[in-house]
Amino acid sequence: MKSVSLWAAAGAACVSAGLVVAPVHAQETLHPVLVEAFANSDLAAREEDWRFTLRVTNDDGDLVGRFDGSLADGERWQLVSPPEDELSDMQAGLWAGFAEDEDEDGDEDGDDEAGDDNTGNGLFFSLAEADIAPGSLSLAEETGSGWIFDFEPELGDEEMDVAGHLRGRLTIGGRPTEVQELRLWAPESFKPHFAVRLHAFEMVQAYERVDGVPAPVLTRLSQSISGSAAFQDFDQSFELAFSDIEFLGEAVSGR
């Protein structure tokens, strides 16, 4: 997801709570439903393969930008609204983060010897980039429309004890079988750090089929978090909504 700057926005929204996404290691064994779902979802793509509109909604309102991977580096992100001189400080920081992330992903120094260092997953679901602890996926419920798997989240950093207080749930469904939703939440209040208490936390990633795209894509990421830090209460929420999604490349499975 880094290739289209999703985590630039998510990271900025999470920084006050110290939450960091950690990559998952290879799963040794998986339920057959998961094997099929991941095969139908986990596809390789390049930054150049995408066009989409991104709407970031938080307490400062809506920030809308358009990404076009077919354009030259430095021109791929275009601000739609609000006008640049009307951006709040938070919005200006997010928008600057998109441009900075694009510059970092570019090969300005010609170091891309293999020619595919820019390959990732884009808006496709990626098990390798999910917040799932190795070997922790277990079937919790089989419904008439799909399957629900519980898992242990793998989140946090050296100074924040987060993962042990959160629960994870992965929803699988559709024909062919595909990932539909990933959810993380805190069932009760907890202290990830001696100076921080989180009263509530929830993060949801929703995936849907889009015409012309070979696998379900991320269409919404929402997060809400409330608590107190250094004797100051905070209550933050944001949503990323992806629309007008076009896939311009050739998806490759089994990377």
Side-chain angles (χ1 to χ4, degrees):
M1 195 59 254
K2 293 178 182 177
S3 64
V4 291
S5 301
L6 166 61
W7 296 117
C14 298
V15 68
S16 63
L19 299 182
V20 179
V21 177
V24 71
H25 305 290
Q27 300 279 343
E28 293 184 0
T29 58
L30 289 172
H31 190 284
V33 167
L34 294 174
V35 173
E36 180 182 356
F38 295 153
N40 291 330
S41 301
D42 196 350
L43 303 181
R46 303 171 306 154
E47 182 176 283
E48 293 88 343
D49 294 336
W50 297 98
R51 287 196 192 112
F52 58 82
T53 298
L54 172 62
R55 180 182 298 272
V56 183
T57 302
N58 60 17
D59 291 341
D60 289 0
D62 288 350
L63 167 66
V64 181
R66 180 69 180 167
F67 180 85
D68 188 340
S70 69
L71 299 179
D73 289 347
E75 300 177 1
R76 292 173 177 171
W77 280 104
Q78 299 294 323
L79 181 63
V80 176
S81 66
E84 190 166 2
D85 60 359
E86 295 181 14
L87 294 173
S88 69
D89 290 343
M90 169 66 81
Q91 291 172 332
L94 289 176
W95 189 246
F98 295 157
E100 290 172 4
D101 189 62
E102 181 181 345
D103 290 341
E104 291 174 1
D105 287 341
D107 183 30
E108 297 178 359
D109 298 327
D111 294 333
D112 189 1
E113 296 178 2
D116 62 354
D117 286 354
N118 197 30
T119 300
N121 293 84
L123 297 178
F124 296 133
F125 173 83
S126 171
L127 176 61
E129 295 182 4
D131 315 336
I132 301 173
S136 67
L137 282 160
S138 62
L139 182 63
E141 182 181 354
E142 184 172 349
T143 68
S145 58
W147 299 262
I148 296 174
F149 290 84
D150 289 338
F151 65 86
E152 297 175 11
E154 189 170 72
L155 289 169
D157 59 26
E158 294 180 355
E159 298 182 358
M160 302 289 283
D161 177 19
V162 177
H165 301 281
L166 301 182
R167 295 180 182 175
R169 179 155 288 184
L170 188 68
T171 301
I172 306 293
R175 291 292 183 270
T177 305
E178 297 165 335
V179 174
Q180 294 183 334
E181 182 181 278
L182 184 148
R183 177 181 177 233
L184 302 179
W185 78 98
E188 57 187 22
S189 173
F190 68 97
K191 295 192 69 172
H193 185 273
F194 75 92
V196 178
R197 174 170 289 279
L198 296 187
H199 303 311
F201 172 82
E202 182 182 52
M203 188 274 288
V204 176
Q205 298 177 20
Y207 294 82
E208 298 179 18
R209 274 281 179 177
V210 174
D211 289 345
V213 181
V217 290
L218 182 69
T219 55
R220 180 176 61 87
L221 185 152
S222 63
Q223 179 174 288
S224 59
I225 182 171
S226 64
S228 59
F231 307 107
Q232 296 291 324
D233 291 337
F234 60 86
D235 189 349
Q236 301 174 345
S237 63
F238 76 92
E239 178 176 286
L240 309 182
F242 296 86
S243 60
D244 306 318
I245 299 170
E246 299 177 70
F247 184 68
L248 311 176
E250 236 178 86
V252 179
S253 60
R255 289 188 299 149

